[in-house]
Amino acid sequence: MSGISRRRFLAASVAGCAATTLAGPKKALAAGAFTGYSDSMGVLVDLTRCIGCRSCEAACNKEQALPAPDRPFNDMSIFDETFHGGTQKRRPDENAYTVVNRYEPEGSDEPIYRKVQCNHCNEPACLTSCFVNAYTKTQEGAVIYNNKVCVGCRNCMIACPFNVPGYSYSSAFDPIVKKCIFCHDTRLKNGLPPACVDICPQEALTFGMRKDLLKIGNQRIQTHPGRYVDHIYGEKELGGTSWMYLSSAPFDEVGFDANVSNEPIINNVKDFLGTVPMVLAIWPAMFTGFHLLAKKQAGHDNHDEKVEEQHGEEGGEQ
Amino acid sequence: MKSLIKSGVNVVDSHVNDKKDEDWSFIRKMMLGLHFGQYLGQALRNPFNWILGVIFAIGLPLIAYRFLFGLSVVTHASNDYPWGLFLGFGLFAMVPLSASGFMLGTTVEIFGRHDFEPVERLALLNGLLGYLFAVIYLLVDLGQPWRLPYPMVVSFGPAAVLFLVAWHVATYLSVQVAEVSVAFFEWIGWLGGKRFIRRIAIGLTVSGIILSTLHQGALGALFCYAPGKVHPLWFSASFQWIHFFCSSIPAGLCMVIAVSTIIKKTMAWRCDDNFLDNLDRCTLGLAKGASLALITYLVIKIIGIAHDNEWAYLATGWGAWFLFEMAVGVVLPIILFGYAIRHKIVGMARVGAFITVFGIVLNRLNTALITFNWQLYQEVPHIFEVIIAVTIFAIYVVVYRFILYRLPILYTWKAEPEAAFAADAAKATPVRMTTPAVEAVYRKID
Ligand code: SF4
Ligand code: SF4
Ligand code: SF4
């Protein structure tokens, strides 16, 4: 019996080791967390300047060759549209990479408009959650997506803390994720500002190096005391984003999730990823050990044999 | 089936032809030793088959519809709720309910508790089918299901939890195929294959434990990507994977109890005495394991709340819903199991098991669907989505039953025609071979 057990132990250990080596590179890559490029570009969105003209929506539609909208871009009644029992405003989807929403926060006589698009996070949740690595954070700061490898699990949509990516559910044979790509292919790559920034008549969108944008933002806050909330949304949120916002109203009153932490999403998952190699390393030896112990005990009172007999099991255990 | 057995039909359970007038061919095994007419007759007499027929008549065209016209025609195509019922139920609930394979494998093979052997094969099969159908649910849900192998061969996202899930579920599926193949090899009569698997059984079981620990946990860890979306009571950044792993233990064990209960009620003709006589004892044993795991689960759930200091949420509406889930899905079964074990009331343990299964399914649905986006709005799945989910579950039941009818899962395959198993054959032949039908009739009577 012990001969067989030893052989089994070896076999099990080998299996365990194989599994461990298999997981080796996994861990190594997982540990090398990504922290964004220092020279990345970004956009500062100043909500106090935005007049809700929706030109950016139109420009994006054209630049990204998206389908024509149901209602024209100069139809401002679209701001009255709400969904799901009036709780939700419009959001980016497969037909629109960016949308502008209107808010009427208390204590402000003017409505506030907010443009929504992908924020191009420094440590994008969509990127880290994707199991085929469809996303790339480019040197310029854009988070782009490769539809050639996407399987369509939509984990990135679960993960995105800003609910940005949309999915072309209506396509049966080639559904893909659709989201703002910072106009990477057509503009950003060549050092040009994105289409929506270019067209904005109010200069509500400022394109530039992220670190410069932070300076500009802080300057505006300082030179116009009382005009802004003293906070740049996106400076630290979820590890920082390339697109950042200035606002005159508290951010949670104009559609932002003010409760997000400053930790990138991936940090939540690191606890678990860290335990993986542990389990792989410890479990095989531990359970094979249990097995040998159990075997020994069973041998003492002939438990095995008894049961074998009574069950007529040909188990091949002996 | 019962009436056929009463009328003297022998159900196939051996390679040896005791009638000598017919071939023991593959077809014969497939038809359970019945004639075509008899087989069809028993299938048509079973009202359950008619229910299945109705489900398939509606559901199968809908599945075709989904693949031809895209997800948007059968789901709400929601960008806020990317994962609907297919994953919320099909993946997140089916996988824990299928933890039975590795649980019983560990109990029997590793801890040497051979007294659980009568239900081991059932548990292994339950595991295999559960995983298989979780993958099928996934295939229905994926935007581009034909790319399912991509994470293995085309493009790697190794920092992603889902990458781990994909690899582990794929590997574990093969492990389970190997484990269950023992029964298949017996059935087709290829003993070489069977002996080979028996020899590597420990290796398989240990790798099963590793893979299960990791991917059961990983399914929980998937929600760590959405810390703001899942309600805090169902979410714990540090403990999510332990919660999922720990609750998969009672889920798997109780699923075996639940399935065996159904089998006992509806399929007793297919079980041998070894299974039927030991089932009550095994049920109580499993219940004991499940109740210990449930207690652990309850404790770590409380620790999870305490750790993140979420007590205040308990006073809200969500808190009431959470307390309901805990009271019905966890505390109630613990009490039932405790009482059942003390007073040896098997029926009560069975009720407890069904409730536990319900509780775990509820927990997974709560995490993935009901409390997901609790700050946004509540998504109610599209009716077609519900129908497709039910249809796939019905296919699961049919495949499950198909295998149980045939492979030696619930009964012991008799008369191994090889010297290595001569002792067995000798034991089995004289006693059983001649009288299975009579035995079956007795069983029906008592
Ligand atoms: S905002 Fe969402 S989609 Fe855009 S980079 Fe961040 S996580 Fe990805
Ligand atoms: S849906 Fe596509 S891009 Fe998103 S995580 Fe899945 S495979 Fe990656
Ligand atoms: S950056 Fe380009 S893709 Fe993104 S919203 Fe602006 S125009 Fe659209």
Side-chain angles (χ1 to χ4, degrees), chain A residues 103-112 248-249:
Chain A
Y103 296 87
E104 272 135 14
E106 272 174 55
S108 140
D109 8 290
E110 298 271 287
I112 295 183
S248 54

Side-chain angles (χ1 to χ4, degrees), chain B residues 161-185:
Chain B
V161 171
L162 199 62
F163 184 76
L164 210 107
V165 176
W167 270 90
H168 286 186
V169 168
T171 334
Y172 188 46
L173 250 176
S174 6
V175 168
Q176 290 195 307
V177 168
E179 286 176 332
V180 173
S181 63
V182 173
F184 181 70
F185 290 147

Side-chain angles (χ1 to χ4, degrees), chain A residues 7-9 11-12 15-16 19 22 25-27 29-30 84 87-88 91-94 125 127-134 146-163 165-176 257 259 265-266 268-269 271-273 275-277 279-280 283-285 287-288 290-292 294-295 298 303-304 307-317, chain B residues 66-73 75 77-84 87 106 109-115 117-118 121 141-148 150-151 154-164 166-168 186 194 198-203 206-207 209-210 213-214 217-218 221-229 235 237-238 241 274 278 281 372-373 375-379 412-413 416 421 424 427:
Chain A
R7 208 170 60 220
R8 286 218 180 111
F9 180 84
L22 202 116
K26 234 182 260 176
K27 177 57 189 160
L29 276 154
H84 306 289
T87 57
Q88 304 301 309
R91 57 156 288 162
D93 61 21
E94 56 171 310
L127 184 152
T128 42
S129 73
C130 177
F131 71 155
V132 289
N133 219 359
N146 173 5
N147 63 19
K148 293 279 175 310
V149 295
C150 170
V151 180
C153 66
R154 311 193 289 287
N155 201 352
C156 48
M157 300 164 68
I158 293 277
C160 173
F162 303 110
N163 290 321
Y167 197 68
S168 50
Y169 287 101
S170 51
S171 162
F173 301 110
D174 192 26
I176 54 173
D257 183 352
N259 293 322
I265 293 284
I266 184 70
N268 283 295
V269 189
D271 269 359
F272 171 70
L273 289 176
T275 59
V276 173
V279 170
L280 286 172
W283 262 220
F287 281 93
T288 318
F290 282 152
H291 171 63
L292 293 183
K295 270 278 195 216
H303 180 71
D304 262 17
V307 177
E308 294 267 340
E309 236 171 65
Q310 150 196 350
H311 291 177
E313 239 289 329
E314 70 305 308
E317 278 295 321
Chain B
R66 173 256 173 272
F67 279 106
L68 288 175
F69 295 97
L71 279 164
S72 62
V73 295
T75 69
S78 168
N79 292 321
D80 294 321
Y81 283 87
W83 290 346
L87 294 192
T106 315
E109 306 290 342
I110 304 295
F111 293 114
R113 291 293 304 271
H114 292 274
D115 45 334
E117 243 164 45
R121 281 190 178 180
D141 187 70
L142 284 181
Q144 311 213 12
W146 47 89
R147 288 184 180 170
L148 184 64
Y150 272 31
V154 176
S155 178
F156 308 112
V161 171
L162 199 62
F163 184 76
L164 210 107
W167 270 90
H168 286 186
E186 282 180 8
K194 175 181 162 178
R198 291 305 309 183
R199 214 169 299 134
I200 59 167
I202 296 296
V206 172
S207 46
I209 304 172
I210 301 168
T213 315
L214 288 177
L222 276 179
F223 289 101
C224 294
Y225 284 111
K229 298 185 185 177
F235 177 79
S238 348
W241 75 272
N274 180 28
N278 287 307
R281 182 179 51 77
F372 194 81
N373 281 342
Q375 285 160 313
L376 294 185
Y377 59 93
Q378 188 57 57
E379 165 99 340
T412 313
W413 193 257
E416 298 293 2
F421 302 95
D424 228 45
K427 216 173 340 167

